[in-house]
Amino acid sequence: AAARVTAPGIRGSGIYFDGTATNHLRTADSPTNPGAQSFTVHGWVKLATYGGTYQMFCNKLVDPTTWAPPYVGIGIGLMNSGSGIWYFHHSAGGTFVATIVSGDQYQLRLRIWQHLAVTYDGAHVRAYRDGVLAATVAATGDVTWGTGPWQLGGEANSGGSWLFGTLSDWRVEGSALTAAQLAAIYERGVRTLV
């Protein structure tokens, strides 16, 4: 793998991804996972280009060796639309569900920091951009975490989805953060940019 390229982040350094397979990050298999009924995955992204391909920001593979249903426990990325439309997918209840976030007010913009979050509370999966609720999907049951790794900047098993941009301060929490908590995280991050 290529050397990691650091770039200014929200707090300290972020990691720059060049849109190729050589510099995405992948944990070891069988990492510690959050609870199956309540969690939050969130972090900051600064896109360099929309491109014409999917760009994965963060995901948790179910199986470390293949890209097969239910694919991922959770994933967040950019659609292949050539615009700022993004998506999240999850496997709550053992069923793979992908949701597109397409409202103009929620689309991702180029070359600025944006905070994305996906929460699950055992009844709903919710997506937020910059502390504002962007989508809600009813979902029940345990999330299928499996033994696969967490990945940043790409999805190796599906053959691509490499990010062209910078990630900073991505976290996995063991509870579903509230809208107020996520808005506060966004506001704290924005203050560091002024």
Side-chain angles (χ1 to χ4, degrees):
R4 302 287 171 241
V5 177
T6 59
I10 291 297
R11 290 188 287 198
S13 294
I15 300 173
Y16 174 75
F17 298 88
D18 65 3
T20 67
T22 59
N23 78 341
H24 80 288
L25 296 175
R26 182 176 172 136
T27 67
D29 293 344
S30 300
T32 301
N33 296 311
Q37 285 277 329
S38 182
F39 67 86
T40 301
V41 177
H42 64 101
W44 294 84
V45 61
K46 184 194 285 187
L47 291 171
T49 181
Y50 292 132
T53 62
Y54 290 99
Q55 296 185 53
M56 182 61 67
F57 309 143
C58 176
N59 73 59
K60 166 61 174 77
L61 283 176
V62 172
D63 185 324
T65 63
T66 187
W67 183 248
Y71 303 106
V72 298
I74 188 74
I76 307 169
L78 183 73
M79 287 294 295
N80 63 344
S81 62
S83 69
I85 297 172
W86 59 289
Y87 68 94
F88 61 96
H89 43 227
H90 65 88
S91 63
T95 302
F96 178 78
V97 177
T99 301
I100 296 171
V101 182
S102 61
D104 288 344
Q105 70 272 33
Y106 304 122
Q107 288 193 24
L108 303 180
R109 297 180 300 275
L110 296 178
R111 295 176 287 283
I112 64 167
W113 285 111
Q114 293 147 105
H115 185 261
L116 300 180
V118 173
T119 69
Y120 179 54
D121 62 7
H124 294 92
V125 179
R126 293 181 174 90
Y128 297 81
R129 195 206 76 189
D130 293 344
V132 176
L133 181 65
T136 302
V137 178
T140 58
D142 290 351
V143 168
T144 305
W145 290 119
T147 60
W150 284 92
Q151 300 181 112
L152 291 174
E155 202 306 284
N157 287 17
S158 68
S161 303
W162 311 119
L163 173 61
F164 193 7
T166 306
L167 297 177
S168 181
D169 206 28
W170 279 82
R171 297 169 182 252
V172 179
E173 314 276 358
S175 63
L177 298 182
T178 66
Q181 289 171 313
L182 291 167
I185 290 168
Y186 169 71
E187 290 299 329
R188 280 195 305 272
V190 168
R191 283 197 297 271
T192 67
L193 301 174
V194 179

